[in-house]
Amino acid sequence: MGKDKALLIIDVQMAMFDESDPVHDGEGLIETLRRVIAEARAAGVPVIYVQHNEDEGTPLEPGQAGWEIHHAIKPEAHDIVIQKSKPDSFNGTTLKQDLDDRGIRELIIAGMQTDVCVDTTCRCGYSHGYKITLLSDAHRTWPSSGLTADQIIAHHNAVLRLFADVKESKYAFGSNLGSESVSSSE
């Protein structure tokens, strides 16, 4: 398994867990990602991290503590780390070339922020011809515009079905692969 698949972890960086405005259910996300990353590695699926870069003086300034990938899921030496500065993980990065060089045709997507970088990367990956799998319980955001984070996540899980196979992380790898997509009411 895993010869043409990759797990893409988007923007799970220390600043997203700042106590003054932490991402919704950040601890749950980290626990899910730890499991999913271990399952991917056990299945021989490459793990690719995307790391967002912002301007000097911002929480995601390169080289600063908030910019670092969360320590609980930090990349290993053989993992790929892609730097980006826009919501689309393909725009202005080496992601497409790295995937094509490795024969990757399916992206299994998790991370942050549901309504920005996760959404945009799902849509753009689909437009580039990749099979997209979005792990419905492995992406997070913040409340916004009168909506709870859970409402935003559920909405994107429903809408992104046009571009991705949306399934729970427990079905991403191993014997459950391909089983049971989640319902749109999740």
Side-chain angles (χ1 to χ4, degrees), residues 104-144:
I104 303 297
R105 299 304 318 146
E106 179 178 351
L107 290 178
I108 301 165
I109 296 179
M112 292 195 257
Q113 179 176 350
T114 299
D115 43 332
V116 184
C117 300
V118 170
D119 177 291
T120 305
T121 300
C122 282
R123 292 171 190 253
C124 290
Y126 175 84
S127 292
H128 281 295
Y130 297 98
K131 179 182 186 308
I132 304 297
T133 299
L134 175 63
L135 300 181
S136 63
D137 58 334
H139 58 92
R140 297 291 190 278
T141 193
W142 289 260
S144 177

Side-chain angles (χ1 to χ4, degrees), residues 141-144 146-153:
T141 193
W142 289 260
S144 177
L147 298 173
T148 67
D150 283 332
Q151 289 171 322
I152 295 168
I153 292 166

Side-chain angles (χ1 to χ4, degrees), residues 155-172:
H155 171 75
H156 280 78
N157 282 340
V159 169
L160 289 172
R161 288 178 197 293
L162 297 171
F163 309 96
D165 183 13
V166 180
K167 61 176 68 175
E168 291 179 47
S169 61
K170 67 183 178 183
Y171 300 115

Side-chain angles (χ1 to χ4, degrees), residues 24-50:
H24 168 71
D25 189 26
E27 288 182 27
L29 174 64
I30 292 300
E31 287 309 308
T32 299
L33 291 178
R34 287 175 67 151
R35 178 181 47 79
V36 168
I37 290 167
E39 290 172 3
R41 288 183 174 135
V45 173
V47 180
I48 302 172
Y49 292 82
V50 177

Side-chain angles (χ1 to χ4, degrees), residues 57-123:
T58 63
L60 296 177
E61 176 186 345
Q64 300 303 308
W67 172 80
E68 296 293 331
I69 293 171
H70 195 286
H71 299 127
I73 61 159
K74 66 183 178 182
E76 294 182 354
H78 59 275
D79 295 329
I80 300 165
V81 180
I82 303 290
Q83 302 299 315
K84 73 174 180 65
S85 60
K86 297 182 175 41
D88 175 5
S89 297
F90 291 92
N91 189 346
T93 73
T94 62
L95 180 58
K96 184 173 184 339
Q97 188 65 51
D98 288 333
L99 296 173
D100 292 349
D101 288 350
R102 289 166 177 77
I104 303 297
R105 299 304 318 146
E106 179 178 351
L107 290 178
I108 301 165
I109 296 179
M112 292 195 257
Q113 179 176 350
T114 299
D115 43 332
V116 184
C117 300
V118 170
D119 177 291
T120 305
T121 300
C122 282
R123 292 171 190 253

